[in-house]
Amino acid sequence: MSDGRALARAYLEQQRLLGTDAVPLPPAAAPVPVQPESVAPEPKAPATKPVELPPAGLTFDPPARDLFTADPLQQVTTLAGVAELVAPCTRCRLCESRTKTVPGEGPAQARLVCVGEGPGRTEDETGRPFVGQAGELLTKILGAIGLSRDQVYICNVVKCRPPQNRTPLYDEIAACVPYLFRQLELIQPRVILAMGNTAAQTLLDTKQSLGALRGRIHRFRGTPVIVTYHPAALLRNPNWKKPTWDDVRIAHRLLDD
Ligand code: URA
Ligand code: SF4
Protein backbone atom coordinates (compact mmCIF):
# COMPACT_ATOMS: atom_id res chain seq x y z
CA MET A 1 0.00 0.00 0.00
CA SER A 2 1.28 3.48 -0.86
CA ASP A 3 2.30 5.84 1.93
CA GLY A 4 -0.49 8.18 0.88
CA ARG A 5 -3.18 5.55 1.35
CA ALA A 6 -1.75 4.34 4.64
CA LEU A 7 -1.70 7.93 5.83
CA ALA A 8 -5.28 8.53 4.70
CA ARG A 9 -6.43 5.36 6.44
CA ALA A 10 -4.67 6.45 9.63
CA TYR A 11 -6.33 9.86 9.42
CA LEU A 12 -9.74 8.29 9.03
CA GLU A 13 -9.18 5.92 11.91
CA GLN A 14 -8.03 8.78 14.09
CA GLN A 15 -10.98 10.90 13.04
CA ARG A 16 -13.41 8.33 14.35
CA LEU A 17 -12.06 9.12 17.76
CA LEU A 18 -11.19 12.76 17.44
CA GLY A 19 -14.37 13.99 15.77
CA THR A 20 -14.87 15.40 12.32
CA ASP A 21 -13.17 18.74 12.78
CA ALA A 22 -10.33 17.88 15.14
CA VAL A 23 -7.86 16.54 12.60
CA PRO A 24 -7.60 18.40 9.32
CA LEU A 25 -7.66 15.96 6.43
CA PRO A 26 -5.17 16.73 3.68
CA PRO A 27 -7.11 18.76 1.09
CA ALA A 28 -8.86 16.38 -1.29
CA ALA A 29 -7.99 18.53 -4.30
CA ALA A 30 -4.26 18.28 -3.61
CA PRO A 31 -3.26 14.62 -3.43
CA VAL A 32 0.19 14.02 -1.98
CA PRO A 33 2.46 13.78 -5.02
CA VAL A 34 4.51 10.63 -5.35
CA GLN A 35 8.04 11.64 -4.48
CA PRO A 36 11.35 9.90 -4.85
CA GLU A 37 12.33 7.97 -1.70
CA SER A 38 15.05 10.42 -0.72
CA VAL A 39 12.74 13.43 -0.42
CA ALA A 40 9.53 11.65 0.65
CA PRO A 41 8.20 13.36 3.80
CA GLU A 42 8.13 11.31 6.98
CA PRO A 43 4.53 10.19 7.58
CA LYS A 44 3.42 12.02 10.71
CA ALA A 45 0.26 10.11 11.54
CA PRO A 46 0.86 8.32 14.84
CA ALA A 47 -1.53 5.51 13.93
CA THR A 48 0.92 4.16 11.36
CA LYS A 49 3.64 3.60 13.94
CA PRO A 50 3.52 0.59 16.24
CA VAL A 51 2.57 1.59 19.77
CA GLU A 52 5.39 1.60 22.23
CA LEU A 53 4.50 0.18 25.59
CA PRO A 54 5.13 2.57 28.48
CA PRO A 55 7.01 1.61 31.65
CA ALA A 56 5.45 -0.12 34.64
CA GLY A 57 3.70 2.02 37.23
CA LEU A 58 1.84 1.43 40.46
CA THR A 59 0.53 -1.87 41.76
CA PHE A 60 -2.56 -2.27 43.93
CA ASP A 61 -3.38 -5.67 45.38
CA PRO A 62 -6.30 -5.31 47.76
CA PRO A 63 -6.61 -8.58 49.64
CA ALA A 64 -9.27 -10.93 48.31
CA ARG A 65 -12.13 -11.42 50.77
CA ASP A 66 -12.24 -14.60 52.75
CA LEU A 67 -14.14 -17.20 50.70
CA PHE A 68 -15.85 -18.50 53.80
CA THR A 69 -17.20 -15.13 54.80
CA ALA A 70 -20.90 -14.61 55.16
CA ASP A 71 -20.57 -11.52 52.96
CA PRO A 72 -23.22 -12.00 50.27
CA LEU A 73 -21.03 -10.21 47.73
CA GLN A 74 -18.46 -12.96 48.01
CA GLN A 75 -21.15 -15.56 47.64
CA VAL A 76 -22.40 -14.29 44.28
CA THR A 77 -20.64 -15.73 41.29
CA THR A 78 -22.27 -13.80 38.43
CA LEU A 79 -22.46 -10.17 37.34
CA ALA A 80 -26.25 -10.40 37.50
CA GLY A 81 -25.82 -11.50 41.11
CA VAL A 82 -23.74 -8.39 41.85
CA ALA A 83 -26.40 -6.21 40.19
CA GLU A 84 -29.06 -7.81 42.38
CA LEU A 85 -27.13 -6.81 45.47
CA VAL A 86 -26.57 -3.29 44.18
CA ALA A 87 -30.26 -2.69 43.36
CA PRO A 88 -31.49 -2.36 46.97
CA CYS A 89 -28.18 -1.08 48.39
CA THR A 90 -28.24 1.60 51.09
CA ARG A 91 -24.60 1.48 52.11
CA CYS A 92 -24.09 5.18 51.47
CA ARG A 93 -26.10 8.41 51.24
CA LEU A 94 -26.18 8.30 47.43
CA CYS A 95 -29.06 5.85 47.73
CA GLU A 96 -31.27 8.72 48.91
CA SER A 97 -31.25 10.69 45.68
CA ARG A 98 -30.86 7.99 43.06
CA THR A 99 -33.60 6.96 40.64
CA LYS A 100 -32.01 3.72 39.45
CA THR A 101 -28.78 2.01 40.40
CA VAL A 102 -26.31 1.66 37.53
CA PRO A 103 -24.30 -1.49 38.21
CA GLY A 104 -22.61 -1.74 34.80
CA GLU A 105 -23.18 -3.71 31.63
CA GLY A 106 -21.38 -5.88 29.15
CA PRO A 107 -20.32 -9.47 28.63
CA ALA A 108 -18.93 -11.48 31.54
CA GLN A 109 -16.05 -12.60 29.29
CA ALA A 110 -15.11 -9.03 28.23
CA ARG A 111 -11.38 -8.59 27.65
CA LEU A 112 -11.62 -4.87 28.34
CA VAL A 113 -13.34 -3.19 31.28
CA CYS A 114 -13.88 0.58 31.14
CA VAL A 115 -14.38 2.24 34.50
CA GLY A 116 -15.85 5.74 34.89
CA GLU A 117 -16.73 7.77 37.96
CA GLY A 118 -20.45 7.51 38.59
CA PRO A 119 -23.78 7.71 36.82
CA GLY A 120 -24.97 11.02 35.38
CA ARG A 121 -28.55 12.10 34.79
CA THR A 122 -29.35 9.85 31.81
CA GLU A 123 -27.65 6.90 33.47
CA ASP A 124 -29.67 7.46 36.66
CA GLU A 125 -32.89 7.55 34.63
CA THR A 126 -32.13 4.45 32.57
CA GLY A 127 -30.01 2.32 34.91
CA ARG A 128 -27.39 1.97 32.16
CA PRO A 129 -23.80 3.27 32.23
CA PHE A 130 -22.45 5.80 29.74
CA VAL A 131 -25.59 6.37 27.69
CA GLY A 132 -25.52 10.19 27.69
CA GLN A 133 -23.20 12.46 25.73
CA ALA A 134 -20.07 11.13 27.40
CA GLY A 135 -21.27 7.65 26.51
CA GLU A 136 -21.54 8.52 22.84
CA LEU A 137 -17.95 9.66 22.89
CA LEU A 138 -16.89 6.49 24.71
CA THR A 139 -18.58 4.44 21.98
CA LYS A 140 -16.52 6.36 19.39
CA ILE A 141 -13.33 5.87 21.35
CA LEU A 142 -13.94 2.12 21.48
CA GLY A 143 -14.82 2.10 17.79
CA ALA A 144 -11.48 3.71 17.00
CA ILE A 145 -9.72 0.62 18.34
CA GLY A 146 -12.12 -1.72 16.59
CA LEU A 147 -14.32 -2.59 19.57
CA SER A 148 -18.07 -2.29 19.66
CA ARG A 149 -19.68 -1.25 22.93
CA ASP A 150 -21.20 -4.65 23.49
CA GLN A 151 -17.79 -6.34 23.51
CA VAL A 152 -16.68 -4.28 26.50
CA TYR A 153 -17.78 -4.23 30.13
CA ILE A 154 -18.62 -0.66 31.11
CA CYS A 155 -19.15 0.45 34.69
CA ASN A 156 -18.40 3.07 37.30
CA VAL A 157 -16.75 3.38 40.68
CA VAL A 158 -20.03 4.36 42.37
CA LYS A 159 -23.26 2.78 41.24
CA CYS A 160 -25.63 5.63 42.20
CA ARG A 161 -25.68 9.15 40.81
CA PRO A 162 -24.14 11.81 43.04
CA PRO A 163 -26.40 14.89 43.36
CA GLN A 164 -25.63 17.51 40.69
CA ASN A 165 -23.03 15.10 39.31
CA ARG A 166 -20.55 16.10 42.00
CA THR A 167 -17.46 13.99 42.52
CA PRO A 168 -18.23 11.06 44.83
CA LEU A 169 -16.92 11.56 48.36
CA TYR A 170 -14.30 9.34 49.88
CA ASP A 171 -16.73 7.47 52.15
CA GLU A 172 -19.15 6.88 49.27
CA ILE A 173 -16.36 5.39 47.19
CA ALA A 174 -15.23 3.24 50.10
CA ALA A 175 -18.79 1.96 50.59
CA CYS A 176 -19.32 1.14 46.93
CA VAL A 177 -15.95 -0.11 45.75
CA PRO A 178 -16.42 -3.73 46.87
CA TYR A 179 -18.99 -4.07 44.07
CA LEU A 180 -16.48 -2.91 41.47
CA PHE A 181 -13.76 -5.14 42.87
CA ARG A 182 -16.06 -8.14 42.79
CA GLN A 183 -17.10 -7.36 39.20
CA LEU A 184 -13.43 -7.29 38.20
CA GLU A 185 -12.80 -10.53 40.06
CA LEU A 186 -15.60 -12.23 38.13
CA ILE A 187 -14.71 -10.82 34.72
CA GLN A 188 -10.94 -11.18 34.95
CA PRO A 189 -10.32 -8.84 32.02
CA ARG A 190 -7.05 -8.55 30.12
CA VAL A 191 -7.00 -4.76 30.51
CA ILE A 192 -8.76 -2.14 32.63
CA LEU A 193 -9.21 1.37 31.23
CA ALA A 194 -9.53 3.82 34.12
CA MET A 195 -11.23 6.95 32.83
CA GLY A 196 -10.69 10.06 34.92
CA ASN A 197 -9.29 10.82 38.36
CA THR A 198 -11.84 8.95 40.43
CA ALA A 199 -11.46 5.66 38.57
CA ALA A 200 -7.68 5.92 38.39
CA GLN A 201 -7.17 6.89 42.02
CA THR A 202 -9.60 4.25 43.26
CA LEU A 203 -8.18 1.39 41.20
CA LEU A 204 -4.61 2.28 42.10
CA ASP A 205 -5.19 3.42 45.69
CA THR A 206 -3.36 6.68 45.12
CA LYS A 207 -3.93 10.43 45.27
CA GLN A 208 -1.67 11.09 42.32
CA SER A 209 -3.19 13.19 39.58
CA LEU A 210 -4.34 11.83 36.27
CA GLY A 211 -1.49 13.66 34.57
CA ALA A 212 1.03 11.84 36.74
CA LEU A 213 -0.68 8.48 36.24
CA ARG A 214 -1.00 8.52 32.44
CA GLY A 215 1.65 6.85 30.33
CA ARG A 216 2.40 3.90 32.62
CA ILE A 217 1.17 0.33 32.80
CA HIS A 218 -0.18 0.04 36.33
CA ARG A 219 -1.54 -3.17 37.80
CA PHE A 220 -4.69 -3.94 39.75
CA ARG A 221 -4.39 -7.46 41.17
CA GLY A 222 -2.05 -8.22 38.30
CA THR A 223 -4.31 -6.86 35.54
CA PRO A 224 -2.85 -3.97 33.51
CA VAL A 225 -4.54 -0.63 34.19
CA ILE A 226 -4.29 2.16 31.62
CA VAL A 227 -5.28 5.61 32.86
CA THR A 228 -6.86 8.16 30.55
CA TYR A 229 -9.10 11.21 30.53
CA HIS A 230 -12.79 10.85 31.27
CA PRO A 231 -14.96 11.21 28.13
CA ALA A 232 -16.95 14.01 29.82
CA ALA A 233 -13.69 15.91 30.32
CA LEU A 234 -12.91 15.42 26.62
CA LEU A 235 -16.21 17.05 25.73
CA ARG A 236 -15.09 20.14 27.67
CA ASN A 237 -11.49 20.03 26.53
CA PRO A 238 -10.97 18.68 23.01
CA ASN A 239 -7.19 19.15 23.41
CA TRP A 240 -7.21 15.96 25.47
CA LYS A 241 -8.54 13.86 22.62
CA LYS A 242 -5.12 13.25 21.11
CA PRO A 243 -3.56 12.04 24.41
CA THR A 244 -6.65 9.87 24.96
CA TRP A 245 -6.10 8.34 21.55
CA ASP A 246 -2.52 7.52 22.58
CA ASP A 247 -3.77 5.89 25.80
CA VAL A 248 -6.42 3.72 24.20
CA ARG A 249 -3.94 2.50 21.62
CA ILE A 250 -1.77 1.25 24.47
CA ALA A 251 -4.79 -0.51 25.97
CA HIS A 252 -5.55 -1.99 22.56
CA ARG A 253 -2.03 -3.31 22.14
CA LEU A 254 -2.19 -4.94 25.59
CA LEU A 255 -5.47 -6.62 24.66
CA ASP A 256 -3.77 -8.39 21.81
CA ASP A 257 -0.58 -9.31 23.66
N1 URA B 1 -19.93 9.58 33.50
C1 URA B 1 -19.52 8.52 34.22
O1 URA B 1 -18.51 8.55 34.90
N2 URA B 1 -20.23 7.42 34.15
C2 URA B 1 -21.31 7.30 33.41
O2 URA B 1 -21.91 6.25 33.43
C3 URA B 1 -21.73 8.43 32.66
C4 URA B 1 -21.01 9.55 32.72
FE1 SF4 C 1 -24.77 1.39 47.60
FE2 SF4 C 1 -22.88 2.21 45.95
FE3 SF4 C 1 -25.33 3.19 45.72
FE4 SF4 C 1 -23.80 3.88 47.78
S1 SF4 C 1 -23.40 4.33 45.62
S2 SF4 C 1 -25.94 3.27 47.89
S3 SF4 C 1 -22.69 1.99 48.18
S4 SF4 C 1 -24.72 1.06 45.40
Side-chain angles (χ1 to χ4, degrees):
M1 185 182 292
S2 72
D3 269 356
R5 285 186 63 185
L7 205 58
R9 202 185 45 175
Y11 270 122
L12 286 173
E13 197 182 336
Q14 213 182 36
Q15 275 213 306
R16 288 170 65 185
L17 168 63
L18 298 182
T20 45
D21 52 1
V23 176
L25 275 172
V32 182
V34 179
Q35 302 195 25
E37 276 301 297
S38 55
V39 291
E42 274 290 299
K44 283 195 220 86
T48 57
K49 285 190 241 141
V51 196
E52 279 188 34
L53 289 184
L58 305 177
T59 291
F60 180 34
D61 279 313
R65 298 288 188 88
D66 182 350
L67 275 181
F68 299 103
T69 172
D71 179 358
L73 189 52
Q74 287 314 116
Q75 311 265 329
V76 297
T77 53
T78 63
L79 294 170
V82 176
E84 275 175 35
L85 292 177
V86 167
C89 177
T90 55
R91 287 173 64 152
C92 84
R93 67 182 78 71
L94 295 181
C95 71
E96 293 162 18
S97 48
R98 76 177 173 223
T99 310
K100 289 191 174 167
T101 55
V102 184
E105 68 182 25
Q109 336 76 268
R111 290 182 306 151
L112 177 65
V113 174
C114 294
V115 183
E117 177 173 284
R121 179 191 294 279
T122 322
E123 291 77 19
D124 176 68
E125 284 165 5
T126 58
R128 300 182 55 208
F130 283 98
V131 288
Q133 250 196 321
E136 274 172 38
L137 184 52
L138 176 59
T139 304
K140 277 196 210 166
I141 292 171
L142 295 172
I145 53 168
L147 293 173
S148 70
R149 228 189 109 102
D150 52 18
Q151 292 178 287
V152 175
Y153 194 81
I154 300 173
C155 63
N156 288 297
V157 172
V158 295
K159 312 302 191 189
C160 301
R161 181 193 183 198
Q164 278 83 49
N165 295 348
R166 66 159 168 75
T167 306
L169 303 176
Y170 185 82
D171 63 326
E172 295 159 354
I173 294 172
C176 206
V177 85
Y179 297 122
L180 172 63
F181 288 1
R182 186 70 181 138
Q183 287 170 323
L184 292 171
E185 222 165 45
L186 294 171
I187 299 169
Q188 306 251 329
R190 294 254 193 112
V191 180
I192 301 168
L193 186 65
M195 304 183 296
N197 267 306
T198 300
Q201 292 174 348
T202 303
L203 285 165
L204 299 171
D205 192 31
T206 179
K207 290 187 173 155
Q208 286 184 44
S209 71
L210 192 100
L213 293 169
R214 284 189 56 247
R216 312 240 165 233
I217 301 177
H218 308 283
R219 303 255 165 197
F220 174 83
R221 290 182 176 150
T223 304
V225 176
I226 300 301
V227 171
T228 196
Y229 295 100
H230 191 288
L234 295 187
L235 291 171
R236 291 190 297 268
N237 193 339
N239 289 340
W240 289 338
K241 287 186 177 181
K242 167 67 176 68
T244 301
W245 169 239
D246 295 336
D247 299 333
V248 294
R249 289 179 70 224
I250 294 165
H252 186 219
R253 155 118 196 241
L254 290 171
L255 280 181
D256 290 338
D257 269 0

